[in-house]
Amino acid sequence: MPKKADAVIIGGGVMGCAIAYNLAKQGLKSIVIEKSDIGGEASGSNGGGVRQSARNLKEMPLAMESIQIYGRLHEELGMDVEYVREGNLRLCTSDEELESMRQSVENQKTTGLELEMLDRKQVLEINPYVGEKVIGASYCPTDGHVNPFLVTYGFFKKAKSLGAQFHTHEEAREIRLQKGKVSAVVTDKNTFETDLVVDAAGTTGRKVANMVGLDFPMRPLFSEALITEPYPALFKQMVGHAKGLFYGRQTVHGPFFWGGFVGTEQFIYREGKPLFHYIGPATSQMVIDFFPVLKDVHVIRTWSGLIAQMSDGLPVLGFAQEVPGFVFATGFSGHGFGLAPVIGRLISELIMDCTTSIPISDFCYGRFSRGSDQECACQGNAACTTFTAICPMKREWLKSIKSQ
């Protein structure tokens, strides 16, 4: 017999868990379907960067709000998530990189972001361990980093305590429609009746959208990362190359996390999570070039993962007018983890009230077929009722069933 769910969220990464938590706070009990483990894909293989700087300006309001939420997240989730807010240095090694970074900084400052350019002397005052090739950097003092495992687990644990259900090692196979609307999700183990599906499936997000006849330009992008043995504390900032060739941080326990790109990642995708013999050493060499003090530190583990890379680098958020009851929350292109707290809240707001406290029209699915000027929320839409709509208005639905 099919099970009933207020909402089914496909994807048990940090986005799916954050959405489930925020919906549960509002009284909506979700079922989260994850084909591997909670946080077992990109949410468990990223660097935990919580940054505003070096983002597309369209994402900046989301990133700035998410920073505020991260500052109190340990209290909300009831656990330490190892949040460190000590800034982000984007290191430059040439006049060309400096000039490009200056222009980027000026553009970003128009959003109200606290950001500045530093010369080499100023960089050394913040981080005295950078190598001689560094001639300057951008610096955002309000950026930081966090433990991605703890954040994901914290959202999972809190959502579960509020009534959300999690089905791991279970794969969504079909989304059933009735008269064009979402009616059920079929997995390899269960059938869940629901009028609401959230696509938070990361690199599988395109496949999930295909289940309801939708498509968007996203592809998996290969990435590798590494972790070192513990080392005495050197610096607390998130650091990275101006062009994103490498990035990393020292964790609160001493090991360094580093990730990097060698330029061939888009051509070497394979099934599974393979490792390539040259990427780890190339990343290590870049780190040594920028931080010579780390030349004798041992790497103890490397791993790979996949990034849900969109053609325009922006996520897909909100309802699909073509399929009532289908919600996008995917395609974050390698920089979504830092946005998870605010995305969880905004998707919950959209589902409950058909509007969001921060506009998300720049990320609407309709931008691919109808242009960029699309509203994802349906506030004021005459079709938006308790019973039939682009958006379900779940708060009104909850009121209606409680009054019966």
Side-chain angles (χ1 to χ4, degrees):
M1 183 176 180
K3 302 175 182 179
K4 294 184 182 295
D6 293 343
V8 172
I9 300 169
I10 302 177
V14 68
M15 291 299 174
C17 292
I19 294 167
Y21 163 63
N22 279 275
L23 288 176
K25 280 202 303 182
Q26 301 298 323
L28 213 63
K29 303 302 188 292
S30 303
I31 290 177
V32 181
I33 301 170
E34 169 54 50
K35 61 184 175 62
S36 60
D37 297 300
I38 297 300
E41 300 298 330
S43 296
S45 60
N46 71 88
V50 179
R51 64 177 173 84
Q52 306 146 102
S53 60
R55 284 189 179 273
N56 188 301
L57 296 188
K58 292 179 179 180
E59 288 186 340
M60 199 65 77
L62 305 181
M64 295 173 78
E65 179 62 19
S66 205
I67 288 286
Q68 300 305 312
I69 300 174
Y70 266 113
R72 56 181 185 271
L73 195 60
H74 64 289
E75 297 176 352
E76 187 167 355
L77 299 183
M79 59 181 287
D80 179 19
V81 294
E82 298 178 4
Y83 177 47
V84 177
R85 184 173 169 172
E86 293 287 342
N88 185 0
L89 286 166
R90 307 279 289 188
L91 306 172
C92 302
T93 61
S94 68
D95 291 338
E96 177 189 358
E97 290 176 358
L98 274 178
E99 181 56 32
S100 178
M101 187 62 75
R102 283 194 187 97
Q103 294 178 16
S104 176
V105 165
E106 290 306 310
N107 287 336
Q108 292 174 73
K109 287 170 68 175
T110 63
T111 66
L113 180 64
E114 185 180 357
L115 187 64
E116 61 181 323
M117 285 297 300
L118 306 178
D119 59 26
R120 176 173 173 78
K121 180 180 178 181
Q122 292 170 313
V123 173
L124 288 171
E125 289 174 356
I126 294 173
N127 190 319
Y129 302 101
V130 298
E132 294 182 1
K133 67 187 305 177
V134 175
I135 62 173
S138 68
Y139 178 59
C140 179
T142 55
D143 281 352
H145 53 82
V146 73
N147 185 320
F149 297 101
L150 293 180
V151 172
T152 304
Y153 178 72
F155 278 124
F156 157 74
K157 183 179 178 181
K158 198 70 172 179
K160 193 173 181 180
S161 72
L162 294 174
Q165 298 179 34
F166 290 81
H167 292 243
T168 57
H169 298 278
E170 186 168 342
E171 186 173 0
R173 297 285 178 83
E174 178 188 359
I175 299 174
R176 290 179 179 169
L177 305 180
Q178 187 172 13
K179 296 182 179 180
K181 306 175 192 175
V182 168
S183 63
V185 175
V186 181
T187 74
D188 54 351
K189 298 177 182 178
N190 291 287
T191 297
F192 302 103
E193 291 184 347
T194 185
D195 64 351
L196 183 66
V197 170
V198 180
D199 180 358
T203 55
T204 313
R206 187 173 186 176
K207 180 180 177 181
V208 171
N210 291 166
M211 294 179 188
V212 295
L214 303 177
D215 196 19
F216 53 90
M218 183 181 78
R219 62 177 173 82
L221 178 65
F222 180 84
S223 178
E224 275 193 30
L226 59 87
I227 197 84
T228 74
E229 63 187 338
Y231 197 80
L234 292 185
F235 54 84
K236 295 181 178 181
Q237 306 88 31
M238 193 81 181
V239 296
H241 180 251
K243 294 183 177 179
L245 297 182
F246 80 94
Y247 58 94
R249 62 187 175 93
Q250 187 171 24
T251 73
V252 298
H253 305 289
F256 283 88
F257 166 95
W258 299 104
F261 298 92
V262 300
T264 61
E265 284 81 7
Q266 61 181 314
F267 304 104
I268 57 177
Y269 172 64
R270 297 178 188 169
E271 292 295 328
K273 298 179 181 179
L275 293 171
F276 293 85
H277 68 279
Y278 57 90
I279 295 182
T283 300
S284 298
Q285 187 58 58
M286 283 190 284
V287 171
I288 293 170
D289 289 345
F290 281 79
F291 297 96
V293 67
L294 300 178
K295 64 183 178 65
D296 294 322
V297 178
H298 295 101
V299 173
I300 60 173
R301 186 167 67 92
T302 62
W303 65 90
S304 67
L306 296 174
I307 293 170
Q309 183 66 43
M310 295 294 298
S311 60
D312 59 4
L314 295 173
V316 190
L317 303 175
F319 293 104
Q321 287 186 326
E322 296 83 350
V323 184
F326 190 85
V327 187
F328 288 102
T330 191
F332 290 91
S333 302
H335 41 83
F337 194 91
L339 300 179
V342 73
I343 295 299
R345 191 187 79 194
L346 293 176
I347 296 299
S348 172
E349 290 172 354
L350 191 63
I351 289 168
M352 298 302 294
D353 299 313
C354 290
T355 188
T356 54
S357 54
I358 300 174
I360 59 173
S361 58
D362 284 330
F363 315 108
C364 192
Y365 172 73
R367 74 184 190 263
F368 301 113
S369 59
R370 300 186 297 275
S372 59
D373 188 20
Q374 297 292 320
E375 287 295 332
C376 290
C378 58
Q379 187 177 29
N381 189 325
C384 200
T385 70
T386 306
F387 306 103
T388 176
I390 297 164
C391 50
M393 288 189 70
K394 287 292 185 179
R395 192 180 307 281
E396 294 301 317
W397 173 77
L398 285 173
K399 289 179 182 177
S400 71
I401 63 173
K402 288 178 181 178
S403 63
Q404 293 175 2

